[in-house]
Amino acid sequence: AKRVLGSNAEWMKSNPNAKMQIEGHCDSRGSNEYNLTLGERRANTVKTYLQGQGVDAARLSVISYGEEKPLATGENDADYAKNRRANFVPVQ
């Protein structure tokens, strides 16, 4: 994941006017409250990493969707893994 995050950090540094929202996502295990908190922690961890790579925190925002927007709907380890992620969404 560090390679992908490093590429995102380089893109952000090459595009100094760009702002990005980091979405935190989880798999379907756990309560809604727990997953929203976990998604927020995941997104904030990514934000902190990008800041450490030189991206200004003012250009980054976070939101958690918990388990609300899965990529995969199956109930197996491979699908759970796909749903534990942070997405990057450009912000105007």
Side-chain angles (χ1 to χ4, degrees), residues 17-32:
N17 294 322
K19 293 184 179 183
M20 198 68 62
Q21 179 172 284
I22 305 164
E23 299 178 339
H25 299 271
C26 301
D27 62 39
S28 60
R29 297 174 291 182
S31 69
N32 285 337

Side-chain angles (χ1 to χ4, degrees), residues 72-87:
T73 57
E75 304 247 342
N76 58 58
D77 288 340
D79 289 333
Y80 291 145
K82 290 175 187 173
N83 292 327
R84 294 186 302 264
R85 68 195 192 281
N87 289 347

Side-chain angles (χ1 to χ4, degrees), residues 22-77:
I22 305 164
E23 299 178 339
H25 299 271
C26 301
D27 62 39
S28 60
R29 297 174 291 182
S31 69
N32 285 337
E33 182 178 285
Y34 174 81
N35 285 333
L36 285 170
T37 300
L38 183 59
E40 185 173 356
R41 282 194 347 238
R42 181 169 282 128
N44 277 316
T45 298
V46 169
K47 179 180 177 180
T48 299
Y49 184 84
L50 293 176
Q51 287 175 260
Q53 299 298 306
V55 178
D56 183 3
R59 298 173 54 208
L60 301 168
S61 61
V62 299
I63 189 168
S64 175
Y65 287 108
E67 63 187 77
E68 296 173 18
K69 294 184 174 187
L71 284 179
T73 57
E75 304 247 342
N76 58 58
D77 288 340

Side-chain angles (χ1 to χ4, degrees), residues 1-11 13 49-50 53:
K2 287 183 179 180
R3 183 177 44 210
V4 172
L5 293 176
S7 294
N8 288 347
E10 289 304 316
W11 186 89
K13 290 189 280 187
Y49 184 84
L50 293 176
Q53 299 298 306

